[in-house]
Amino acid sequence: VQLQASGGGSVQAGGSLRLSCEASGSIFSIDTMGWYRQSSGKERELVATIDRADVAYYGDSVKGRSTISRDSAAKTVDLRMNSLKSEDTAVYYCYVRLRPNGWGTQIGDYWGQGTQVTVSS
């Protein structure tokens, strides 16, 4: 299973960004997709996830200024964030919970390599 993320980079405070992630490889079914982030010296935290029923969950720090969506057929998840702050600077990790091979196989959590987002004032 591979997770390929795109987007990120350097953004001005108050601006917006879009992160996208595509899952590929041996995938039978996808349960949850989403994004986590980790800034220097801090633990990894939830940004947003979306389950197979398209129910979204947001971390408190991004709630109200972020939107997550998924395309289950394309195996992609998008995150849009507005009103960016310096506190949003972090490495953002794509996350997928899936079954690789049939209903009898164990569901697992997979992570992308991370993409840097830097918000400057």
Side-chain angles (χ1 to χ4, degrees), residues 81-111:
M81 291 180 62
N82 302 314
S83 303
L84 289 168
K85 311 171 185 178
S86 58
E87 305 93 275
D88 295 317
T89 295
V91 177
Y92 285 68
Y93 295 91
C94 178
Y95 161 79
V96 177
R97 171 165 286 189
L98 60 84
R99 287 184 199 278
N101 295 300
W103 291 113
T105 57
Q106 188 171 1
I107 201 165
D109 295 330
Y110 295 81
W111 296 89

Side-chain angles (χ1 to χ4, degrees), residues 41-60:
K42 295 186 178 180
E43 293 186 355
R44 192 172 295 189
E45 66 171 355
L46 168 70
V47 178
T49 60
I50 183 167
D51 65 20
R52 60 194 309 160
D54 283 340
V55 177
Y57 301 88
Y58 295 94
D60 289 340

Side-chain angles (χ1 to χ4, degrees), residues 16-73:
S16 60
L17 68 80
R18 176 187 177 189
L19 299 177
S20 298
C21 180
E22 179 180 10
S24 62
S26 179
I27 298 171
F28 176 73
S29 68
I30 295 177
D31 182 21
T32 301
M33 306 183 80
W35 295 89
Y36 285 72
R37 69 185 183 186
Q38 187 168 19
S39 53
S40 181
K42 295 186 178 180
E43 293 186 355
R44 192 172 295 189
E45 66 171 355
L46 168 70
V47 178
T49 60
I50 183 167
D51 65 20
R52 60 194 309 160
D54 283 340
V55 177
Y57 301 88
Y58 295 94
D60 289 340
S61 59
V62 304
K63 200 173 295 183
R65 56 190 184 95
S66 299
T67 302
I68 189 169
S69 61
R70 66 187 276 176
D71 183 332
S72 294

